[in-house]
Amino acid sequence: MNENVAFKSARLAALAGPCRFDNAEALAPFLTAIKTRHGASVLGVIFYGSCLRSGDIREGLVDFYVVVDDYRRAHDSRLSAAANRLVPPNVYYLEAADAAPNTGADKPSRLRCKYAVISEAELAYGCRDALTSGLWGRLAQPVAIVHARDTVIHERLRMHCGQAVVTLLEESLPVLHAPLAPAEVFARCLALSYGGELRAETDERTTRITAQYSAEYARRARDAIDLLDLAVHIDDRGLMRWQASAARRRQARRLWSARRPIGRLLSVARLSKACFTFGDAVDYGADKLARHTGVTIEVTPRLRRHPLIYGWPVLWRLYRQGVLK
């Protein structure tokens, strides 16, 4: 690695922050089970999402990206490896005994997680070059690297997460109007990213997320400025201003227009695949929908047994009603 590449890699890692979780030892049952399932292929585990933001891993479902070196080594079957390679990532459900259950409980409580298996090569591509925003939109937010094979892998994962910040800003700023406060820049960028997928979350939820960690999002926006291929600066009032050519703005608008249908198609493909890899996928989806939107759906035994047959009318109705966007 030459000196310039090493310097940029260090800058990107710093942009991602320390990537720590203060209660990482509580995740040990998950990490042990994941490494047992996927063996020596596991390079690292990235913790993200609502449980990381709240700090409470006992409420809701913990979200991980499990980064592997090779899909075939990571899976027992060639079919699973091929599915992961064709439409990454594969998503799995896992329960583990709570290492520190509530005292007085009749039986040990269970921790729950879902995790996505992705190769480091796909992670790097997804944070830097992917058209859709699924990876760079998520990993531009604060995450925790709760397992890494060694310190070199740990720093590489931080670098990929820092690259996600750069990609999110470079893809989003040309379609936004300056000036904006740095934290508001991130709120607008994340709203664009969420809009590129089939999701139940609203723009208001994005605003709440960024408001909760406004200082960290502002730091990310400021620290990324000289890594961007745009002319960006902070004015005397602390607001971010940027310039993009008319051609760059037109290209950015076209890309965001394309992301919306493509992202939704990929979301549907991944939902279909999750019916085979994710235990209780229908119940999980119904619970998440109710928590984020207040809309409840009836999970019938028929829907639970055959989601690929009876789930489509439900999804279409929710989409037509504007619940899924």
Coordinates of all heavy atoms in Angstrom, one line a residue, residues 18-20 37 51 56 97 108 143 150 190 215 227 234 259 265 272 285 320:
P18 N -14.8 5.5 16.4 CA -14.2 4.3 17.0 C -14.9 3.0 16.8 O -14.3 2.0 16.9 CB -14.2 4.7 18.5 CG -15.3 5.7 18.6 CD -15.3 6.5 17.3
C19 N -16.2 3.1 16.4 CA -17.0 1.9 16.1 C -17.0 0.9 17.3 O -16.7 -0.3 17.1 CB -16.4 1.2 14.8 SG -16.6 2.2 13.3
R20 N -17.3 1.5 18.5 CA -17.3 0.7 19.7 C -18.7 0.6 20.2 O -19.5 1.5 20.0 CB -16.4 1.2 20.7 CG -14.9 1.1 20.4 CD -14.1 1.3 21.7 NE -14.2 2.7 22.2 CZ -13.4 3.7 21.9 NH1 -12.4 3.5 21.1 NH2 -13.7 4.9 22.4
R37 N -21.7 -21.3 13.4 CA -22.5 -21.5 12.1 C -21.6 -21.4 10.9 O -21.7 -22.1 9.9 CB -23.7 -20.6 12.0 CG -24.9 -21.0 12.7 CD -26.0 -20.0 12.3 NE -27.3 -20.3 12.9 CZ -28.4 -19.7 12.8 NH1 -28.5 -18.7 11.9 NH2 -29.5 -20.0 13.4
C51 N -31.2 -1.2 18.1 CA -30.7 -1.6 19.4 C -29.4 -1.0 19.7 O -29.1 -0.8 20.9 CB -30.6 -3.2 19.4 SG -32.2 -4.0 19.4
D56 N -29.9 -1.0 24.2 CA -30.6 -2.1 24.9 C -30.8 -3.2 23.9 O -31.6 -3.1 22.9 CB -32.0 -1.6 25.3 CG -32.7 -2.6 26.2 OD1 -32.2 -3.8 26.3 OD2 -33.8 -2.3 26.7
A97 N -29.1 -17.6 24.4 CA -29.4 -17.3 25.8 C -28.7 -16.0 26.3 O -27.6 -15.7 25.9 CB -28.8 -18.5 26.6
P108 N -34.0 -18.5 31.9 CA -33.1 -17.5 31.2 C -33.9 -16.9 30.1 O -34.5 -17.6 29.3 CB -32.0 -18.4 30.8 CG -32.0 -19.6 31.7 CD -33.4 -19.8 32.0
V143 N -21.9 2.8 13.7 CA -22.0 1.4 13.9 C -20.9 1.0 14.9 O -20.0 1.8 15.3 CB -21.7 0.7 12.6 CG1 -22.7 1.1 11.5 CG2 -20.3 0.9 12.0
D150 N -8.7 -9.8 13.4 CA -7.5 -9.1 13.9 C -7.6 -7.6 13.7 O -8.6 -7.1 13.2 CB -6.2 -9.7 13.2 CG -6.3 -9.6 11.7 OD1 -6.7 -8.6 11.2 OD2 -6.0 -10.6 11.0
L190 N -30.0 10.8 4.6 CA -30.6 9.6 5.0 C -32.0 9.4 4.5 O -32.4 8.3 4.2 CB -30.5 9.4 6.5 CG -29.1 9.3 7.1 CD1 -29.1 9.2 8.6 CD2 -28.4 8.0 6.6
A215 N -24.7 15.8 17.2 CA -23.3 16.2 17.3 C -22.4 15.2 16.4 O -21.5 15.7 15.7 CB -22.8 16.2 18.7
L227 N -12.6 15.0 1.8 CA -12.6 13.7 1.1 C -13.5 13.6 0.0 O -13.5 12.7 -0.8 CB -12.9 12.6 2.1 CG -11.8 12.4 3.2 CD1 -12.4 11.5 4.3 CD2 -10.6 11.7 2.6
I234 N -17.7 25.2 5.1 CA -18.5 25.7 6.2 C -18.5 27.2 6.3 O -17.4 27.8 6.3 CB -18.1 25.1 7.6 CG1 -18.0 23.6 7.5 CG2 -18.9 25.6 8.7 CD1 -19.4 22.9 7.5
R259 N -32.8 4.6 -8.5 CA -32.6 3.9 -7.2 C -34.0 3.4 -6.7 O -34.1 2.4 -6.1 CB -31.9 4.7 -6.2 CG -30.4 4.8 -6.4 CD -29.6 5.5 -5.4 NE -28.2 5.6 -5.8 CZ -27.6 6.8 -6.1 NH1 -28.3 7.9 -6.1 NH2 -26.4 6.8 -6.5
L265 N -37.3 -3.4 -6.1 CA -37.2 -4.8 -6.7 C -36.2 -5.6 -5.9 O -36.5 -6.8 -5.6 CB -36.8 -4.7 -8.1 CG -37.9 -4.2 -9.1 CD1 -37.3 -4.0 -10.5 CD2 -39.0 -5.2 -9.2
S272 N -38.2 -12.3 -0.4 CA -38.6 -13.6 -0.9 C -37.5 -14.6 -0.4 O -37.9 -15.7 0.0 CB -38.6 -13.6 -2.4 OG -39.6 -12.7 -2.9
G285 N -41.9 -9.4 10.3 CA -42.3 -8.3 9.5 C -43.5 -7.6 10.0 O -43.6 -6.3 10.0
R320 N -50.0 0.1 -1.9 CA -51.1 1.0 -2.4 C -51.6 2.0 -1.4 O -52.0 3.1 -1.7 CB -52.2 0.2 -2.9 CG -51.9 -0.6 -4.2 CD -51.8 0.3 -5.4 NE -53.0 1.1 -5.7 CZ -54.0 0.6 -6.4 NH1 -54.0 -0.6 -7.0 NH2 -55.1 1.4 -6.6

